[in-house]
Amino acid sequence: MSAAPIGKDLLGLEHLSADQIRLILDTAEPFKEISLRAIKKVPTLRGMTIVNLFFEASTRTRISFEFAEKRLSADTVNVASSGSSVSKGETLVDTARNLEAMKIDMVVMRHGASGAAKFLADRIRSNVINAGDGTHEHPTQGLLDILTLRDRWGSLEGRRVCICGDVLHSRVARSNIWGLRKLGAEVAVCGPRSLLPNAIDELGVTVFGRIEEAIEWAEALNILRLQLERMQAGYIPSLREYNRVFGVTRERLERSPRDLVIMHPGPMNRGVEIDSDVADGPHSVILDQVTNGVAVRMAVLYLLAGGRPEVAEAAKG
Amino acid sequence: MVLLRGGRVLDPSTNLDQVGDVLLREGRIEHAGASLGEVRRDGDLIEIDCTGRVVSPGFVDVHCHLREPGREDVETIATGARAAAAGGFTAVCAMPNTDPVTDNQAAVGFIIRQAQRADAARVYPIGAISLGQKGEALAEFGEMIGAGAVAVSDDGKPVASAQLMRSALEYARAFNIPVADHCEEPTLAHGGAMNEGLVSARLGLKGIPAEAEEIMAIRDILLARRTGGHVHLCHMSTKGSVELIRWGKDRGIRVTAEVCPHHISLTEDAVEGYNTNAKMNPPLRTAEDVAALQEAVKDGTIDLVATDHAPHHYDEKEREFADAPNGIVGLETALAVLVTHLVEPGIIGYGTLVDRMSCTPARTFNLPGGTLRKGSVADVTVFDPLRRWTVEPSAFLTKGRNSPYAGMQLTGRAACTIVGGRIVYRQSE
């Protein structure tokens, strides 16, 4: 198998080049079509063994990866933390060694600790795909967000995207910031300062303290979930107030000078960070994001397995 | 008798800096300074050629963790004392966050007995400020001091209660001992794994802001002013703390402070790649902080250098960054880090280095040593200031291997460590 054009692992978008990101997106395009077929399966990864290792609860990301793997004919095993030896105190390094001893090919890992994916990748020969590590990165989510915007705009060059909400605790936000900026977009963040990392502006993003400013500036809003526990930890006074001050409502959107693209990585808190008539409204691409998620993950799996884009095109047949 | 011949005899406590000899007899300094010529031999005389080396009062580390009792798999008093000697330290102070906590006279006595058996660097116990380091009730300072403790500290944890800290400073006055505090405002630092800033934002790690340290530092300084007690601020890491200490000293408040070699040589960038060997508390800060701390060592705002030697078993560090324990080993690299990062760039000279590693620590904690004055205990360090070496943790005498300097080339190495006139360590040529 030849070396993967995007490296051994996909740990984040920070260390990928713009060309590598474009390669993944370009590779995802032909894979979209497979999901539209009556028989949604190609033999591309037949014989490969992939472990989906989810140390944190996840529904959509895990299912999306599983679909991607099955549509490429890989053999998959799902491991959730509650049923694993981790709950008996096994360390991540021991888990990694055991997986390696079972001669697997790839690991898709979701973990609550930032850097956990790199930790694993540094210790096993198998390819590692980061399905979200702590508050660090969630690269496939970033890629599917970017693919969705590229579908809409054709190019990201010079486009303005604002990430709204709890950036401090968001792995999605960081992947979006790296990926969008590498492809030429301008990126802003908007939220209460208590939910924005202290040095966020040093990442090359504009910071808006008021949602009205963000709406006036942006061409797309990527709205992040407000987590209930953040309120209890004293970051914001209440979810109600958050909605009143930072919530994306139809009234606020109507003041935008343009048709804003509305995105959300889910799961949504309707009536908190996003109102239902925005989530279900004409500018929402939220379900397109979900659809694109499978194609992007197929592309990543395929490329890490050593595949080339031209072969992906051929795999359609 | 030990005769140290022809070295650069350097003792800031007596303003001594000349090439000459040092003679040790019956555990005391008999002579330090000019060349002695022929020396009358009575009994055994060990003569060591110190040409090209610095002969100084033995280094004193007022802050290390020796893990015994409780975690003898990680370090024992014996291995820690031997590592200290290999780093040029003739005396170290052991922090009380052992298991059980060193919060009573029996525990203090145990450490002293273990240290005597170890027969390497001297080990002085530090007693806990509060029973069990729980931050609730004062431990029995008087009994601990009577048994041999030299200071009190809840290090490893901050003293969250300002009232308890006030009481500790007031009560400690009767014994004329420093109250050493780990300055960390717990609610602000909660859950933090590294310095709060650009790197933590990028890596998605919860940060510990500089203010978590500074708020406690100024609280302690103000309480020292109120009580007249001697507060010693452990492991300072920020530019702001330096400014606060300077403010306190300018007003005659009894505040002393220490800095660790890692905080004056490394920045938060060392954490890149989730390097758990760069994880410590307080965390590595920014280049601006490092420069301010270096300047503070030079001008004396920071009184002394202490290692905060904190060994961990390798597999405890071999894990997710946020869950890995804080701390690095430091006894065997401290001298070289200071020579490489402070002396070689011309920030301080060897005289200041010796003062911050030996004279001032001994004076601040009221310990024997820290001087080559005639009649003083014969605790002496001979070091080779130009010796280049590559840090190889597997060669350490400490059981810990957790060093962020692994593989780095540093300059300066202890050649010979003498405690009470006895050679406890000699570097192989």
Side-chain angles (χ1 to χ4, degrees):
Chain A
M1 196 178 285
S2 57
I6 58 171
K8 172 184 161 280
D9 312 294
L10 179 68
L11 305 180
L13 301 190
E14 181 180 2
H15 300 294
L16 286 188
S17 68
D19 283 343
Q20 286 174 314
I21 292 172
R22 281 192 208 100
L23 173 65
I24 298 170
L25 302 179
D26 293 343
T27 308
E29 290 293 347
F31 281 127
K32 283 184 190 174
E33 185 269 338
I34 292 168
S35 298
L36 301 175
R37 296 182 193 175
I39 298 172
K40 302 174 181 60
K41 210 167 178 85
V42 291
T44 316
L45 297 187
R46 192 160 60 196
M48 292 195 78
T49 314
I50 302 176
V51 177
N52 298 314
L53 196 55
F54 278 68
F55 292 109
E56 261 190 0
S58 162
T59 304
R60 72 190 62 214
T61 301
R62 187 177 55 75
I63 291 174
S64 181
F65 266 109
E66 214 177 324
F67 273 133
E69 292 153 4
K70 288 186 189 309
R71 286 174 192 179
L72 293 172
S73 302
D75 294 319
T76 64
V77 177
N78 293 319
V79 183
S81 62
S82 58
S84 77
S85 49
V86 172
S87 58
K88 300 172 197 161
E90 184 172 279
T91 63
L92 185 54
V93 70
D94 286 336
T95 303
R97 285 180 187 142
N98 279 288
L99 290 171
E100 192 77 336
M102 286 184 246
K103 311 301 178 195
I104 57 161
D105 298 296
M106 288 193 196
V107 180
V108 176
M109 186 170 77
R110 159 73 57 94
H111 197 287
S114 299
K118 176 172 168 50
F119 180 92
L120 186 70
D122 287 347
R123 286 160 182 78
I124 64 174
R125 284 189 301 277
S126 313
N127 310 106
V128 174
I129 300 173
N130 180 9
D133 62 327
T135 54
H136 178 222
E137 284 221 45
H138 190 353
T140 55
Q141 179 70 44
L143 288 163
L144 74 88
D145 290 343
I146 295 166
L147 181 63
T148 306
L149 288 170
R150 201 177 76 159
D151 287 348
R152 181 59 71 106
W153 291 332
S155 163
L156 275 292
E157 199 65 47
R159 295 289 187 164
R160 298 193 301 276
V161 182
C162 186
I163 301 161
C164 305
D166 184 359
V167 176
L168 184 65
H169 300 98
S170 171
R171 45 193 165 218
V172 176
R174 284 166 183 75
S175 292
N176 266 269
I177 290 169
W178 298 123
L180 289 165
R181 292 194 68 237
K182 281 171 199 273
L183 296 194
E186 290 179 52
V187 182
V189 295
C190 176
R193 278 307 316 209
S194 54
L195 290 177
L196 300 180
N198 192 252
I200 189 73
D201 50 333
E202 292 180 56
L203 298 185
V205 301
T206 305
V207 179
F208 291 116
R210 294 179 56 81
I211 190 70
E212 291 82 1
E213 295 171 329
I215 287 172
E216 191 177 329
W217 175 85
E219 295 171 88
L221 298 182
N222 197 352
I223 304 158
L224 304 176
R225 183 170 78 92
L226 232 287
Q227 296 166 39
L228 190 64
E229 59 270 26
R230 305 299 169 216
M231 185 187 72
Q232 289 161 339
Y235 287 97
I236 54 168
S238 70
L239 296 180
R240 177 181 170 275
E241 170 154 315
Y242 184 86
N243 178 255
R244 310 237 342 151
V245 181
F246 290 97
V248 179
T249 61
R250 197 180 63 188
E251 294 73 32
R252 287 198 168 114
L253 281 189
E254 281 169 356
R255 280 183 233 139
S256 166
R258 58 190 75 81
D259 287 342
L260 278 173
V261 179
I262 299 297
M263 310 177 78
H264 195 301
M268 288 183 282
N269 294 311
R270 290 168 181 262
V272 182
E273 71 269 5
I274 188 168
D275 277 3
S276 283
D277 46 6
V278 174
D280 303 330
H283 306 305
S284 168
V285 295
I286 293 169
L287 293 175
D288 297 338
Q289 291 174 266
V290 178
T291 304
N292 281 340
V294 178
V296 156
R297 287 168 181 129
M298 288 170 81
V300 169
L301 292 163
Y302 174 77
L303 289 169
L304 286 182
R308 301 279 165 187
E310 61 276 13
V311 187
E313 192 64 38
K316 284 166 64 178
Chain B
M1 286 207 312
V2 177
L3 177 59
L4 305 166
R5 279 272 195 209
R8 177 180 173 187
V9 183
L10 188 52
D11 177 17
S13 77
T14 54
N15 293 318
L16 182 63
D17 184 1
Q18 69 176 105
V19 173
D21 298 343
V22 173
L23 180 65
L24 314 175
R25 192 196 298 267
E26 293 175 355
R28 298 275 157 186
I29 309 274
E30 177 154 313
H31 168 86
S35 297
L36 287 170
E38 198 62 32
V39 172
R40 185 176 55 83
R41 289 171 178 263
D42 50 346
D44 294 335
L45 175 72
I46 300 168
E47 190 169 325
I48 299 173
D49 179 11
C50 295
T51 308
R53 291 173 173 169
V54 175
V55 181
S56 76
F59 302 152
V60 176
D61 183 13
V62 301
H63 187 151
C64 70
H65 300 270
L66 300 186
R67 306 298 188 210
E68 184 181 4
R71 285 303 306 271
E72 290 83 352
D73 58 323
V74 172
E75 191 84 292
T76 63
I77 288 164
T79 58
R82 284 198 284 272
F89 290 96
T90 52
V92 297
C93 298
M95 281 295 177
N97 59 336
T98 46
D99 183 15
V101 171
T102 308
D103 63 0
N104 60 77
Q105 62 169 334
V108 168
F110 168 78
I111 291 168
I112 288 172
R113 283 193 302 281
Q114 291 298 83
Q116 284 165 347
R117 285 195 194 117
D119 199 21
R122 300 177 197 270
V123 177
Y124 297 107
I126 292 178
I129 291 174
S130 66
L131 282 174
Q133 291 194 312
K134 290 180 179 163
E136 293 164 0
L138 288 183
E140 293 171 334
F141 291 9
E143 287 216 315
M144 291 193 291
I145 301 299
V150 297
V152 289
S153 179
D154 271 357
D155 184 64
K157 293 177 181 174
V159 178
S161 160
Q163 176 55 44
L164 189 80
M165 189 64 185
R166 174 184 175 159
S167 296
L169 284 164
E170 284 171 333
Y171 191 69
R173 286 191 63 182
F175 312 102
N176 194 31
I177 53 158
V179 177
D181 196 21
H182 172 128
C183 293
E184 181 184 350
E185 205 295 307
T187 61
L188 209 46
H190 179 73
M194 68 171 299
N195 182 48
E196 180 177 315
L198 177 58
V199 181
S200 67
R202 280 185 36 242
L203 296 181
L205 291 169
K206 184 166 185 330
I208 301 173
E211 289 76 11
E213 175 174 301
E214 292 156 6
I215 286 168
M216 280 301 223
I218 192 62
R219 180 202 73 171
D220 286 353
I221 292 167
L222 293 174
L223 288 175
R225 181 175 71 175
R226 165 63 55 183
T227 62
H230 172 189
V231 71
H232 177 76
L233 306 182
C234 298
H235 41 52
M236 291 288 99
S237 72
T238 78
K239 182 183 176 185
S241 294
V242 169
E243 289 164 0
L244 296 170
I245 294 160
R246 199 169 279 138
W247 181 89
K249 287 190 163 176
D250 285 349
R251 280 152 188 79
I253 299 168
R254 290 183 73 194
V255 52
T256 55
E258 68 188 35
V259 70
C260 302
H262 41 273
H263 288 126
I264 47 179
S265 60
L266 300 172
T267 68
E268 58 185 349
D269 293 340
V271 174
E272 286 288 355
Y274 300 95
N275 176 14
T276 56
N277 280 332
K279 187 183 180 198
M280 54 202 74
N281 189 17
L284 296 173
R285 305 284 188 183
T286 66
E288 193 182 4
D289 293 307
V290 171
L293 290 163
Q294 289 180 341
E295 189 58 33
V297 171
K298 179 183 174 183
D299 70 19
T301 303
I302 297 278
D303 300 80
L304 57 97
V305 176
T307 67
D308 195 9
H309 174 78
H312 293 288
H313 213 269
Y314 74 91
D315 59 352
E316 292 175 305
K317 282 281 194 181
E318 180 80 350
R319 58 180 311 153
E320 302 89 312
F321 190 89
D323 296 337
N326 289 307
I328 63 165
V329 294
L331 287 168
E332 288 161 87
T333 51
L335 168 67
V337 170
L338 260 60
V339 171
T340 307
H341 290 272
L342 291 187
V343 179
E344 282 194 328
I347 296 163
I348 63 170
Y350 287 107
T352 304
L353 173 102
V354 170
D355 180 73
R356 306 301 189 254
M357 290 190 76
S358 173
C359 313
T360 301
R363 194 173 61 246
T364 304
F365 276 55
N366 309 307
L367 305 176
T371 181
L372 297 179
R373 189 172 283 112
K374 185 174 180 181
S376 303
V377 291
D379 288 3
V380 181
T381 297
V382 180
F383 65 93
D384 185 342
L386 303 177
R387 171 87 176 246
R388 297 278 287 170
W389 61 291
T390 302
V391 179
E392 175 49 68
S394 64
F396 286 159
L397 297 190
T398 171
K399 289 187 180 183
R401 300 287 175 263
N402 45 313
S403 171
Y405 301 104
M408 287 188 197
Q409 255 214 345
L410 299 175
T411 305
R413 190 145 203 197
C416 180
T417 308
I418 299 169
V419 175
R422 290 188 52 257
I423 297 167
V424 293
Y425 174 79
R426 269 189 98 165
Q427 166 73 23
S428 52
E429 293 302 319

